[in-house]
Amino acid sequence: MLKNKITLITGASAGIGEACAHSFAREGSHLILAARRQDKITDLANALAKEYGIRTHTLVLDVRDRLAVNSAMENLPSTWSDIDILINNAGLSRGLDKVQDAYYLDWDEMIDTNIKGLLWVSRAVMPGMVQRDGGHVINIGSIAGRQVYSGGNVYCATKYAVRAITQGMRIDLLGSKVRCSSVDPGLVESEFSEVRFRGDKEKAAPVYQNFPPLQPVDIAETVLFCATRPAHVNIHEVLVMPQDQAAVYASNPRGVE
Ligand code: NDP
Ligand code: 8X3
């Protein structure tokens, strides 16, 4: 079903985005891999091309930079310009500070990446989908877009925004054959917590020790499921949680097995 489709994945250099690249490549999709770390996406692109015989294209891109996003999309080689599937995955959290104590630039970074970055990429890619009357936008939301936790304030706000934007996109796309889904994970073991705590591994490691977390591949396979339904089916949203996490504050702390 994905053979010879073109999928653009933002944040493809790690975690969920990298896992999506593996899952989509396995199903025969050609891939545009975007992130800021060139070495990571280049290595991944080469490895997937070799393993699955797909075509790959890399974009060194900071999604916060609207002009760079527009330029990257406008200058795609013609063999890459008709994007079938956009996975808006690039995102991050910074800190767990209370609003009254937080560092302003952390807010800028989260809002600029998780909300505005998703919008810049979508705004650049969606017109082509609408014009071709086909495509699929899949946004990576979060349980944090449904429940707020202590210190989550602005990160949660960005994911609430992703949920609202996804719902809005679906309304805006009515009348076209372009689909729009969101996949909203609970705790996933990735670089996410290390980024949240700015490389402090001692703070990041315990996040994944209370119960077995989701792995990036669990989310990638869910994204793949959304992308491979028949054309008349739109999966609106999927909330995927670790079996031991019922809600942000309700987990079974049995320890990682
Ligand atoms: P990782 O930190 O492992 O990966 C994040 C990815 O986003 C990296 O590839 C990073 O690439 C990219 N990225 C970050 N900022 C930018 C930017 N400005 N421009 C381009 N790319 C960027 O985290 P996850 O894989 O866990 O996170 C992926 C998505 O999943 C995020 O949207 C996150 O909010 C969401 N999520 C994560 C959960 C979790 O528990 N881990 C749970 C629910 C949702 P690079 O640094 O090379 O640019
Ligand atoms: C990431 C999951 O619970 O750490 O969106 O916010 S959580």
Side-chain angles (χ1 to χ4, degrees):
M1 192 173 248
L2 294 184
K3 212 160 177 40
N4 293 326
K5 298 278 185 199
I6 295 177
T7 302
L8 165 60
I9 305 173
T10 67
S13 60
I16 295 168
E18 181 182 357
C20 285
H22 281 274
S23 296
F24 277 65
R26 189 190 69 219
E27 298 304 316
S29 177
H30 304 307
L31 296 176
I32 305 175
L33 303 174
R36 292 166 301 179
R37 285 173 291 178
Q38 177 159 28
D39 53 336
K40 297 256 182 196
I41 50 174
T42 302
D43 290 352
L44 180 64
N46 291 339
L48 294 177
K50 194 169 167 202
E51 185 169 356
Y52 297 107
I54 56 156
R55 290 191 293 122
T56 55
H57 185 74
T58 56
L59 284 181
V60 178
L61 187 63
D62 185 332
V63 296
R64 292 172 297 177
D65 185 341
R66 181 171 54 85
L67 297 180
V69 168
N70 286 344
S71 164
M73 296 307 151
E74 278 162 18
N75 292 310
L76 278 173
S78 59
T79 47
W80 286 103
S81 57
D82 291 354
I83 294 165
D84 298 293
I85 300 162
L86 165 63
I87 304 176
N88 274 317
N89 163 77
L92 82 178
S93 65
R94 289 294 196 193
L96 271 177
D97 301 305
K98 296 179 195 296
V99 168
Q100 59 269 34
D101 302 326
Y103 179 50
Y104 304 104
L105 295 182
D106 285 348
W107 293 349
D108 277 343
E109 198 174 0
M110 290 187 278
I111 291 167
D112 289 350
T113 309
N114 301 359
I115 305 178
K116 291 164 77 178
L118 179 147
L119 286 170
W120 303 151
V121 178
S122 302
R123 180 67 181 84
V125 171
M126 285 171 64
M129 291 182 171
V130 172
Q131 200 179 12
R132 294 187 297 277
D133 203 18
H136 198 158
V137 179
I138 304 178
N139 295 329
I140 305 299
S142 173
I143 180 64
R146 295 159 184 256
Q147 296 170 12
V148 178
Y149 52 85
S150 180
N153 44 59
V154 173
Y155 175 71
C156 294
T158 67
K159 291 298 179 176
Y160 272 73
V162 169
R163 194 157 184 228
I165 290 165
T166 307
Q167 290 175 6
M169 282 179 173
R170 274 198 293 270
I171 297 166
D172 297 343
L173 288 166
L174 271 181
S176 80
K177 294 198 178 91
V178 182
R179 296 187 282 180
C180 182
S181 309
S182 83
V183 174
D184 300 350
L187 204 71
V188 182
E189 186 169 19
S190 68
E191 294 178 4
F192 183 85
S193 291
E194 232 180 284
V195 171
R196 165 168 262 169
F197 297 119
R198 295 191 177 277
D200 186 336
K201 290 188 169 54
E202 276 181 27
K203 275 191 182 167
V207 174
Y208 304 113
Q209 282 169 3
N210 293 331
F211 52 83
L214 296 167
Q215 295 301 318
V217 65
D218 300 320
I219 303 309
E221 292 296 310
T222 308
V223 173
L224 183 66
F225 176 83
C226 294
T228 51
R229 295 311 87 205
H232 69 286
V233 178
N234 189 83
I235 305 289
H236 274 209
E237 48 188 39
V238 189
L239 177 61
V240 190
M241 302 291 283
Q243 199 270 327
D244 275 322
Q245 188 185 20
V248 287
Y249 279 129
S251 56
N252 176 28
R254 62 177 165 176
V256 172
E257 292 150 342

PDB file of all heavy atoms in Angstrom, residues 128-152:
ATOM      1  N   GLY A 128      -0.006  21.222  -1.791  1.00  0.00           N
ATOM      2  CA  GLY A 128       0.243  20.216  -2.838  1.00  0.00           C
ATOM      3  C   GLY A 128      -0.683  19.027  -2.674  1.00  0.00           C
ATOM      4  O   GLY A 128      -1.209  18.493  -3.664  1.00  0.00           O
ATOM      5  N   MET A 129      -0.905  18.617  -1.447  1.00  0.00           N
ATOM      6  CA  MET A 129      -1.812  17.487  -1.207  1.00  0.00           C
ATOM      7  C   MET A 129      -3.223  17.837  -1.662  1.00  0.00           C
ATOM      8  O   MET A 129      -3.900  17.040  -2.322  1.00  0.00           O
ATOM      9  CB  MET A 129      -1.825  17.126   0.285  1.00  0.00           C
ATOM     10  CG  MET A 129      -0.539  16.515   0.795  1.00  0.00           C
ATOM     11  SD  MET A 129      -0.732  16.077   2.555  1.00  0.00           S
ATOM     12  CE  MET A 129       0.787  15.162   2.825  1.00  0.00           C
ATOM     13  N   VAL A 130      -3.658  19.037  -1.301  1.00  0.00           N
ATOM     14  CA  VAL A 130      -5.022  19.453  -1.671  1.00  0.00           C
ATOM     15  C   VAL A 130      -5.132  19.538  -3.197  1.00  0.00           C
ATOM     16  O   VAL A 130      -6.106  19.063  -3.790  1.00  0.00           O
ATOM     17  CB  VAL A 130      -5.376  20.801  -0.994  1.00  0.00           C
ATOM     18  CG1 VAL A 130      -6.700  21.349  -1.526  1.00  0.00           C
ATOM     19  CG2 VAL A 130      -5.438  20.623   0.525  1.00  0.00           C
ATOM     20  N   GLN A 131      -4.108  20.097  -3.809  1.00  0.00           N
ATOM     21  CA  GLN A 131      -4.115  20.239  -5.272  1.00  0.00           C
ATOM     22  C   GLN A 131      -4.175  18.867  -5.958  1.00  0.00           C
ATOM     23  O   GLN A 131      -4.902  18.685  -6.932  1.00  0.00           O
ATOM     24  CB  GLN A 131      -2.852  20.974  -5.689  1.00  0.00           C
ATOM     25  CG  GLN A 131      -2.947  21.602  -7.043  1.00  0.00           C
ATOM     26  CD  GLN A 131      -1.652  22.347  -7.371  1.00  0.00           C
ATOM     27  OE1 GLN A 131      -0.624  22.209  -6.679  1.00  0.00           O
ATOM     28  NE2 GLN A 131      -1.700  23.135  -8.409  1.00  0.00           N
ATOM     29  N   ARG A 132      -3.443  17.905  -5.414  1.00  0.00           N
ATOM     30  CA  ARG A 132      -3.428  16.558  -6.015  1.00  0.00           C
ATOM     31  C   ARG A 132      -4.605  15.719  -5.523  1.00  0.00           C
ATOM     32  O   ARG A 132      -4.796  14.591  -5.922  1.00  0.00           O
ATOM     33  CB  ARG A 132      -2.110  15.845  -5.686  1.00  0.00           C
ATOM     34  CG  ARG A 132      -0.892  16.470  -6.319  1.00  0.00           C
ATOM     35  CD  ARG A 132       0.364  15.626  -6.099  1.00  0.00           C
ATOM     36  NE  ARG A 132       0.709  15.500  -4.694  1.00  0.00           N
ATOM     37  CZ  ARG A 132       1.393  16.404  -3.990  1.00  0.00           C
ATOM     38  NH1 ARG A 132       1.802  17.517  -4.572  1.00  0.00           N
ATOM     39  NH2 ARG A 132       1.659  16.219  -2.719  1.00  0.00           N
ATOM     40  N   ASP A 133      -5.365  16.285  -4.578  1.00  0.00           N
ATOM     41  CA  ASP A 133      -6.530  15.638  -3.986  1.00  0.00           C
ATOM     42  C   ASP A 133      -6.178  14.265  -3.381  1.00  0.00           C
ATOM     43  O   ASP A 133      -6.860  13.271  -3.598  1.00  0.00           O
ATOM     44  CB  ASP A 133      -7.673  15.479  -5.001  1.00  0.00           C
ATOM     45  CG  ASP A 133      -9.024  15.359  -4.290  1.00  0.00           C
ATOM     46  OD1 ASP A 133      -9.103  15.731  -3.100  1.00  0.00           O
ATOM     47  OD2 ASP A 133      -9.992  14.886  -4.919  1.00  0.00           O
ATOM     48  N   GLY A 134      -5.101  14.261  -2.607  1.00  0.00           N
ATOM     49  CA  GLY A 134      -4.720  13.034  -1.911  1.00  0.00           C
ATOM     50  C   GLY A 134      -3.543  13.289  -0.993  1.00  0.00           C
ATOM     51  O   GLY A 134      -2.719  14.162  -1.254  1.00  0.00           O
ATOM     52  N   GLY A 135      -3.506  12.538   0.080  1.00  0.00           N
ATOM     53  CA  GLY A 135      -2.388  12.675   1.014  1.00  0.00           C
ATOM     54  C   GLY A 135      -2.866  12.423   2.425  1.00  0.00           C
ATOM     55  O   GLY A 135      -4.046  12.183   2.678  1.00  0.00           O
ATOM     56  N   HIS A 136      -1.917  12.483   3.338  1.00  0.00           N
ATOM     57  CA  HIS A 136      -2.253  12.180   4.736  1.00  0.00           C
ATOM     58  C   HIS A 136      -1.281  12.952   5.629  1.00  0.00           C
ATOM     59  O   HIS A 136      -0.060  12.825   5.487  1.00  0.00           O
ATOM     60  CB  HIS A 136      -2.110  10.669   4.967  1.00  0.00           C
ATOM     61  CG  HIS A 136      -2.813  10.168   6.181  1.00  0.00           C
ATOM     62  ND1 HIS A 136      -3.196   8.858   6.345  1.00  0.00           N
ATOM     63  CD2 HIS A 136      -3.206  10.795   7.321  1.00  0.00           C
ATOM     64  CE1 HIS A 136      -3.803   8.702   7.515  1.00  0.00           C
ATOM     65  NE2 HIS A 136      -3.805   9.860   8.135  1.00  0.00           N
ATOM     66  N   VAL A 137      -1.826  13.730   6.536  1.00  0.00           N
ATOM     67  CA  VAL A 137      -1.012  14.417   7.543  1.00  0.00           C
ATOM     68  C   VAL A 137      -1.217  13.681   8.865  1.00  0.00           C
ATOM     69  O   VAL A 137      -2.354  13.514   9.312  1.00  0.00           O
ATOM     70  CB  VAL A 137      -1.453  15.894   7.706  1.00  0.00           C
ATOM     71  CG1 VAL A 137      -0.603  16.587   8.782  1.00  0.00           C
ATOM     72  CG2 VAL A 137      -1.358  16.634   6.376  1.00  0.00           C
ATOM     73  N   ILE A 138      -0.110  13.253   9.456  1.00  0.00           N
ATOM     74  CA  ILE A 138      -0.202  12.544  10.734  1.00  0.00           C
ATOM     75  C   ILE A 138       0.615  13.314  11.764  1.00  0.00           C
ATOM     76  O   ILE A 138       1.842  13.449  11.630  1.00  0.00           O
ATOM     77  CB  ILE A 138       0.297  11.079  10.612  1.00  0.00           C
ATOM     78  CG1 ILE A 138      -0.490  10.360   9.502  1.00  0.00           C
ATOM     79  CG2 ILE A 138       0.138  10.360  11.961  1.00  0.00           C
ATOM     80  CD1 ILE A 138      -0.055   8.924   9.242  1.00  0.00           C
ATOM     81  N   ASN A 139      -0.087  13.864  12.742  1.00  0.00           N
ATOM     82  CA  ASN A 139       0.569  14.679  13.766  1.00  0.00           C
ATOM     83  C   ASN A 139       0.831  13.831  15.012  1.00  0.00           C
ATOM     84  O   ASN A 139      -0.040  13.069  15.444  1.00  0.00           O
ATOM     85  CB  ASN A 139      -0.327  15.867  14.135  1.00  0.00           C
ATOM     86  CG  ASN A 139      -0.522  16.817  12.974  1.00  0.00           C
ATOM     87  OD1 ASN A 139       0.364  16.963  12.124  1.00  0.00           O
ATOM     88  ND2 ASN A 139      -1.688  17.456  12.905  1.00  0.00           N
ATOM     89  N   ILE A 140       2.014  13.994  15.586  1.00  0.00           N
ATOM     90  CA  ILE A 140       2.310  13.290  16.832  1.00  0.00           C
ATOM     91  C   ILE A 140       1.940  14.224  17.992  1.00  0.00           C
ATOM     92  O   ILE A 140       2.573  15.260  18.205  1.00  0.00           O
ATOM     93  CB  ILE A 140       3.791  12.857  16.936  1.00  0.00           C
ATOM     94  CG1 ILE A 140       4.190  12.014  15.708  1.00  0.00           C
ATOM     95  CG2 ILE A 140       4.010  12.076  18.231  1.00  0.00           C
ATOM     96  CD1 ILE A 140       3.408  10.718  15.503  1.00  0.00           C
ATOM     97  N   GLY A 141       0.863  13.860  18.666  1.00  0.00           N
ATOM     98  CA  GLY A 141       0.420  14.620  19.842  1.00  0.00           C
ATOM     99  C   GLY A 141       0.997  13.997  21.083  1.00  0.00           C
ATOM    100  O   GLY A 141       2.172  13.625  21.124  1.00  0.00           O
ATOM    101  N   SER A 142       0.171  13.865  22.125  1.00  0.00           N
ATOM    102  CA  SER A 142       0.658  13.268  23.383  1.00  0.00           C
ATOM    103  C   SER A 142      -0.497  13.123  24.359  1.00  0.00           C
ATOM    104  O   SER A 142      -1.489  13.863  24.274  1.00  0.00           O
ATOM    105  CB  SER A 142       1.723  14.176  24.006  1.00  0.00           C
ATOM    106  OG  SER A 142       2.099  13.706  25.280  1.00  0.00           O
ATOM    107  N   ILE A 143      -0.338  12.225  25.321  1.00  0.00           N
ATOM    108  CA  ILE A 143      -1.233  12.223  26.488  1.00  0.00           C
ATOM    109  C   ILE A 143      -1.191  13.606  27.141  1.00  0.00           C
ATOM    110  O   ILE A 143      -2.174  14.064  27.731  1.00  0.00           O
ATOM    111  CB  ILE A 143      -0.826  11.114  27.503  1.00  0.00           C
ATOM    112  CG1 ILE A 143      -1.757  11.086  28.727  1.00  0.00           C
ATOM    113  CG2 ILE A 143       0.605  11.276  27.978  1.00  0.00           C
ATOM    114  CD1 ILE A 143      -3.174  10.730  28.452  1.00  0.00           C
ATOM    115  N   ALA A 144      -0.049  14.306  26.976  1.00  0.00           N
ATOM    116  CA  ALA A 144       0.096  15.651  27.536  1.00  0.00           C
ATOM    117  C   ALA A 144      -0.803  16.665  26.822  1.00  0.00           C
ATOM    118  O   ALA A 144      -0.940  17.806  27.280  1.00  0.00           O
ATOM    119  CB  ALA A 144       1.556  16.102  27.455  1.00  0.00           C
ATOM    120  N   GLY A 145      -1.413  16.265  25.724  1.00  0.00           N
ATOM    121  CA  GLY A 145      -2.400  17.113  25.054  1.00  0.00           C
ATOM    122  C   GLY A 145      -3.813  16.818  25.518  1.00  0.00           C
ATOM    123  O   GLY A 145      -4.784  17.350  24.979  1.00  0.00           O
ATOM    124  N   ARG A 146      -3.912  15.974  26.531  1.00  0.00           N
ATOM    125  CA  ARG A 146      -5.226  15.612  27.074  1.00  0.00           C
ATOM    126  C   ARG A 146      -5.273  15.783  28.592  1.00  0.00           C
ATOM    127  O   ARG A 146      -6.341  15.919  29.167  1.00  0.00           O
ATOM    128  CB  ARG A 146      -5.553  14.151  26.744  1.00  0.00           C
ATOM    129  CG  ARG A 146      -5.705  13.892  25.250  1.00  0.00           C
ATOM    130  CD  ARG A 146      -5.499  12.417  24.947  1.00  0.00           C
ATOM    131  NE  ARG A 146      -5.553  12.163  23.512  1.00  0.00           N
ATOM    132  CZ  ARG A 146      -6.593  11.609  22.894  1.00  0.00           C
ATOM    133  NH1 ARG A 146      -7.650  11.240  23.573  1.00  0.00           N
ATOM    134  NH2 ARG A 146      -6.561  11.409  21.592  1.00  0.00           N
ATOM    135  N   GLN A 147      -4.118  15.733  29.245  1.00  0.00           N
ATOM    136  CA  GLN A 147      -4.038  15.890  30.697  1.00  0.00           C
ATOM    137  C   GLN A 147      -2.795  16.714  31.026  1.00  0.00           C
ATOM    138  O   GLN A 147      -1.739  16.514  30.437  1.00  0.00           O
ATOM    139  CB  GLN A 147      -3.901  14.520  31.377  1.00  0.00           C
ATOM    140  CG  GLN A 147      -5.088  13.612  31.180  1.00  0.00           C
ATOM    141  CD  GLN A 147      -4.790  12.190  31.667  1.00  0.00           C
ATOM    142  OE1 GLN A 147      -3.809  11.928  32.335  1.00  0.00           O
ATOM    143  NE2 GLN A 147      -5.671  11.278  31.313  1.00  0.00           N
ATOM    144  N   VAL A 148      -2.940  17.599  32.014  1.00  0.00           N
ATOM    145  CA  VAL A 148      -1.801  18.434  32.422  1.00  0.00           C
ATOM    146  C   VAL A 148      -1.187  17.834  33.689  1.00  0.00           C
ATOM    147  O   VAL A 148      -1.902  17.364  34.561  1.00  0.00           O
ATOM    148  CB  VAL A 148      -2.271  19.877  32.698  1.00  0.00           C
ATOM    149  CG1 VAL A 148      -1.108  20.744  33.165  1.00  0.00           C
ATOM    150  CG2 VAL A 148      -2.899  20.467  31.443  1.00  0.00           C
ATOM    151  N   TYR A 149       0.132  17.822  33.756  1.00  0.00           N
ATOM    152  CA  TYR A 149       0.806  17.319  34.955  1.00  0.00           C
ATOM    153  C   TYR A 149       1.708  18.399  35.531  1.00  0.00           C
ATOM    154  O   TYR A 149       1.996  19.410  34.865  1.00  0.00           O
ATOM    155  CB  TYR A 149       1.595  16.036  34.642  1.00  0.00           C
ATOM    156  CG  TYR A 149       2.537  16.144  33.466  1.00  0.00           C
ATOM    157  CD1 TYR A 149       3.826  16.652  33.612  1.00  0.00           C
ATOM    158  CD2 TYR A 149       2.126  15.725  32.190  1.00  0.00           C
ATOM    159  CE1 TYR A 149       4.683  16.746  32.528  1.00  0.00           C
ATOM    160  CE2 TYR A 149       2.979  15.823  31.102  1.00  0.00           C
ATOM    161  CZ  TYR A 149       4.257  16.339  31.278  1.00  0.00           C
ATOM    162  OH  TYR A 149       5.104  16.439  30.202  1.00  0.00           O
ATOM    163  N   SER A 150       2.154  18.177  36.750  1.00  0.00           N
ATOM    164  CA  SER A 150       2.953  19.158  37.467  1.00  0.00           C
ATOM    165  C   SER A 150       4.207  19.531  36.661  1.00  0.00           C
ATOM    166  O   SER A 150       4.983  18.651  36.281  1.00  0.00           O
ATOM    167  CB  SER A 150       3.354  18.581  38.822  1.00  0.00           C
ATOM    168  OG  SER A 150       4.126  19.506  39.512  1.00  0.00           O
ATOM    169  N   GLY A 151       4.367  20.794  36.391  1.00  0.00           N
ATOM    170  CA  GLY A 151       5.532  21.261  35.637  1.00  0.00           C
ATOM    171  C   GLY A 151       5.374  21.088  34.136  1.00  0.00           C
ATOM    172  O   GLY A 151       6.232  21.485  33.360  1.00  0.00           O
ATOM    173  N   GLY A 152       4.241  20.503  33.734  1.00  0.00           N
ATOM    174  CA  GLY A 152       4.023  20.258  32.294  1.00  0.00           C
ATOM    175  C   GLY A 152       3.478  21.474  31.570  1.00  0.00           C
ATOM    176  O   GLY A 152       3.543  21.549  30.329  1.00  0.00           O
TER     177      GLY A 152
END
